[in-house]
Amino acid sequence: MKSAAPALFALASRCRPRTLRGRLSLVAVATAALVMVILTVVFNAVVRQHLQQQADDELRTRAAGVAATVDTSHAPVRVLETPDDALLDTNVWIYAGTRLLEHPASAPAGAAVTRTAARLATHGDKRCADLEADGPIRLCTVPVGAARAGTPLAAVVTAMDLAPYRASADTLLFASLALDGAVLACTYVLTRLAVGRALRPVGAMTEQATLWSVVASDQRFGGMGRPVELARLGSSLDELLDRIRAVLRHEQQLTRELSHELRNPLARITAELDWWQARPRSTAEIRTTHASIADAAESMRTICDTLLDDARATAHTVPGTADVMAELRRLTDRLTAAGKPAVTVTGPDALVAGVPATLLHRIVSPLVDNAVRYARTVVGLRVSQEPEGIRVEVDDDGPGVPASFVAELFQPGRRADPDDGHGGAGLGLPLARRLARSAGGEVTYNAGHTPGAGFVVSLPAG
């Protein structure tokens, strides 16, 4: 039995419908079958009980008619003769106490039906009994006369063949089963048709989703003319498509910008190598070539780091702390060594931010790089302690941000003037804001700073 159980389970799993319509149809048929079985059992039980009650009523009526011909006023008890004796005496036994006065010709004194009638007559009350002899027989008794010492003066027992009643009950049972089968078949067919019609919009939506291009198509599922549930599903799918399209557009734009940014330093490296191999070089020219290649490689590394940091921006931030002034001084020392505009850092030395040093560098570095790129003479970094945490202000004395572009300042890949002669892919500011928000901080534009541009970095205190 243990080895057969997995086989039966596997067979049941294979026989289970694979489609939603089949499963719902099976559930509907199973539910209808359960209801029909209960109704059929109850109905046929009531019918059989009613038919038996009819038989008992008829037997007692006949017994009462025969009892009217029994004279118990004188001893011994005697049976009066009537014109319709033959009709009344059919399947009738008359007892005076335990003495049998009359019995049917077809049932002698030793017959099983006569013995059953004698037992009923001795009880002294109205009762019935069943006998399975050559066929189903029902016997009922009616006492006649006043009882003496618990025994009636006489008793009349009548019998009836129950075969016609049982045949009627069996006919009703078969008719009920046939009706149940027809109802179950109709239930299955109608359920499949109804579910198929209800799921037709889902099939249409599936075909539409298969044919549409996620990026190029502006088609929508919509909810007009559909049930409420499918209308909500269509609206949810439309919102999901909009988000997918936005993400794909952002990815395509980001890929184009990154490929453009990587192409420039790679072209510089290729040009320097070609020029180096074209003719002999002096030691000073070789050093210059090395410096140019190293600068281009550093630019490519920075672009790749930006891409990786952008991918990590939505990940969980690793806990840690950073010495704000020390990290900013290391950043400005690198810029100063590269011959950039002067960068000044002011603020208390004992300020600790609740972010790792590498994350602080990646948040502030794009802002400082952007300020150095556009500054004329000086870039200022001011650090201060606030109740909410650490505040870092990055200012420059450059041309500033056009008022019409402020709303798009933190959108990836957007630049106020792509042809201004400065490099950049428009990724630094959005990246700085995402990284700051991932650590519980914020990066905002300081519109009140003049001249030039100003940005404020807010970070939790360590």
Side-chain angles (χ1 to χ4, degrees), residues 248-309:
L248 290 177
R249 284 194 298 267
H250 171 64
E251 181 181 353
Q252 291 174 349
Q253 182 179 3
L254 183 62
T255 303
R256 288 194 299 266
E257 294 290 344
L258 288 175
S259 63
H260 173 72
E261 290 295 319
L262 290 174
R263 189 181 299 114
N264 291 335
L266 183 60
R268 287 172 54 194
I269 293 175
T270 303
E272 291 292 344
L273 291 175
D274 290 341
W275 188 30
W276 189 7
Q277 296 173 356
R279 61 181 179 81
R281 296 293 187 92
S282 64
T283 303
E285 289 176 338
I286 291 175
R287 290 196 183 98
T288 303
T289 300
H290 286 173
S292 180
I293 293 175
D295 184 67
E298 178 64 20
S299 177
M300 294 179 67
R301 186 188 68 81
T302 301
I303 294 173
C304 292
D305 288 343
T306 301
L307 175 61
L308 293 176
D309 289 337

Side-chain angles (χ1 to χ4, degrees), residues 54-386:
Q54 283 186 336
D56 292 348
D57 291 344
E58 183 176 349
L59 288 172
R60 290 192 178 98
T61 300
R62 287 174 53 194
V66 174
T69 66
V70 179
D71 184 9
T72 59
S73 58
H74 302 87
V77 176
R78 60 194 181 92
V79 180
L80 303 177
E81 298 295 331
T82 59
D84 54 353
D85 279 346
L87 180 62
L88 290 175
D89 292 343
T90 302
N91 295 329
V92 172
W93 291 260
I94 302 176
Y95 287 87
T98 59
R99 183 168 57 91
L100 179 63
L101 300 181
E102 287 189 7
H103 64 84
S106 60
V113 65
T114 302
R115 291 196 300 271
T116 303
R119 287 196 300 270
L120 289 174
T122 59
H123 285 292
D125 56 1
K126 294 181 178 181
R127 64 177 58 196
C128 298
D130 291 327
L131 176 65
E132 298 290 340
D134 296 336
I137 299 175
R138 182 75 169 173
L139 297 94
C140 289
T141 181
V142 173
V144 181
R148 296 174 183 174
T151 302
L153 295 176
V156 177
V157 180
T158 55
M160 177 185 291
D161 185 6
L162 291 179
Y165 291 91
R166 293 192 177 181
S168 299
D170 293 340
T171 301
L172 286 175
L173 176 61
F174 293 140
S176 300
L177 294 177
L179 179 62
D180 293 346
V183 170
L184 292 178
C186 292
T187 300
Y188 181 77
V189 173
L190 293 177
T191 302
R192 285 188 66 88
L193 292 176
V195 174
R197 183 178 180 84
L199 294 179
R200 193 176 302 166
V202 178
M205 294 169 69
T206 303
E207 294 177 359
Q208 290 172 353
T210 304
L211 296 175
W212 291 347
S213 170
V214 175
V215 179
S217 176
D218 291 330
Q219 299 290 336
R220 292 293 187 275
F221 291 105
M224 297 298 294
R226 291 189 174 130
V228 176
E229 296 83 357
L230 293 182
R232 293 176 179 173
L233 175 61
S235 300
S236 300
L237 292 177
D238 288 340
E239 295 177 0
L240 180 60
L241 283 176
D242 291 337
R243 289 196 293 270
I244 292 175
R245 291 184 178 114
V247 170
L248 290 177
R249 284 194 298 267
H250 171 64
E251 181 181 353
Q252 291 174 349
Q253 182 179 3
L254 183 62
T255 303
R256 288 194 299 266
E257 294 290 344
L258 288 175
S259 63
H260 173 72
E261 290 295 319
L262 290 174
R263 189 181 299 114
N264 291 335
L266 183 60
R268 287 172 54 194
I269 293 175
T270 303
E272 291 292 344
L273 291 175
D274 290 341
W275 188 30
W276 189 7
Q277 296 173 356
R279 61 181 179 81
R281 296 293 187 92
S282 64
T283 303
E285 289 176 338
I286 291 175
R287 290 196 183 98
T288 303
T289 300
H290 286 173
S292 180
I293 293 175
D295 184 67
E298 178 64 20
S299 177
M300 294 179 67
R301 186 188 68 81
T302 301
I303 294 173
C304 292
D305 288 343
T306 301
L307 175 61
L308 293 176
D309 289 337
D310 188 26
R312 298 190 189 105
T314 56
H316 178 68
T317 302
V318 179
T321 58
D323 186 335
V324 179
M325 295 299 294
E327 186 62 31
L328 293 182
R329 288 194 179 99
R330 281 194 291 269
L331 176 62
T332 56
D333 290 343
R334 176 180 63 83
L335 295 175
T336 303
K340 303 295 182 179
V343 181
T344 61
V345 181
T346 58
D349 288 334
L351 290 182
V352 178
V355 297
T358 54
L359 184 60
L360 175 62
H361 177 84
R362 296 309 307 166
I363 293 173
V364 179
S365 179
L367 303 176
V368 177
D369 290 340
N370 193 64
V372 170
R373 184 180 297 117
Y374 290 98
R376 294 188 177 90
T377 58
V378 66
V379 173
L381 278 72
R382 294 188 300 276
V383 184
S384 60
Q385 178 80 50
E386 292 188 344

